[in-house]
Amino acid sequence: MKKQGNIVIFKTEDDKISVDVCFMDETVWLSQQQIAELFDTARTSIVEHIKHIYYEGELEVSATCRDFRQVRTEGKRQVTRTLPHYDLDMIISIGYRVNSKRATQCQQSSRTSKKQRSYFT
């Protein structure tokens, strides 16, 4: 991962995917669709994992979910929508539940990044 202003870019080793994410309040925020792209799985699977994480009490909604406004172009008009985004704690929790090669790569990258940060603090 590398930081560019308020955006952090994740890129796999094979350069097949990169995800632009929001970095705010000292954490990363991703939408359900971005998490699905990150872990190379369906958005419906991500929604299901989020539901179970909250139901089991692993994480709290108020601490891990925030609505962000997004402007999209649909046809010839711009539409503003509010979409839920999830913080790094949720992203990591989902990553441990998703069964995909990309999720494993993300976990490995996360551990490497944590080690690098601890050396410099």
Side-chain angles (χ1 to χ4, degrees):
M1 284 193 209
K2 63 181 178 178
K3 184 176 176 187
Q4 294 182 340
N6 289 340
I7 301 292
V8 176
I9 311 265
F10 170 81
K11 202 178 245 190
T12 60
E13 290 178 15
D14 57 8
D15 288 339
K16 286 191 176 178
I17 190 167
S18 65
V19 178
D20 295 347
V21 301
C22 179
F23 184 80
M24 182 182 293
D25 298 330
E26 298 188 24
T27 192
V28 171
W29 296 90
L30 291 179
S31 68
Q32 294 169 351
Q33 186 60 44
Q34 288 173 307
I35 297 170
E37 290 172 13
L38 179 65
F39 295 135
D40 193 27
T41 192
R43 190 187 70 79
T44 53
S45 295
I46 299 304
V47 171
E48 199 65 27
H49 287 303
I50 291 169
K51 183 174 84 174
H52 288 288
I53 288 167
Y54 288 145
Y55 178 77
E56 294 166 7
E58 182 178 339
L59 297 172
E60 293 183 23
V61 176
S62 61
T64 59
C65 183
R66 181 184 282 182
D67 287 336
F68 287 92
R69 215 176 290 143
Q70 288 189 339
V71 179
R72 296 181 178 177
T73 302
E74 294 181 3
K76 293 183 179 182
R77 62 190 183 110
Q78 288 193 337
V79 178
T80 302
R81 300 200 189 286
T82 302
L83 297 174
H85 284 63
Y86 301 90
D87 76 350
L88 187 58
D89 289 334
M90 176 61 81
I91 297 164
I92 291 169
S93 292
I94 293 168
Y96 282 107
R97 292 170 180 247
V98 171
N99 185 14
S100 76
K101 192 173 190 177
R102 177 108 13 88
T104 302
Q105 289 174 334
C106 290
Q107 291 167 13
Q108 291 167 339
S109 175
S110 172
R111 283 191 291 270
T112 301
S113 295
K114 277 185 181 177
K115 286 178 186 176
Q116 289 173 349
R117 282 193 301 271
S118 67
Y119 292 136
F120 296 108
T121 57

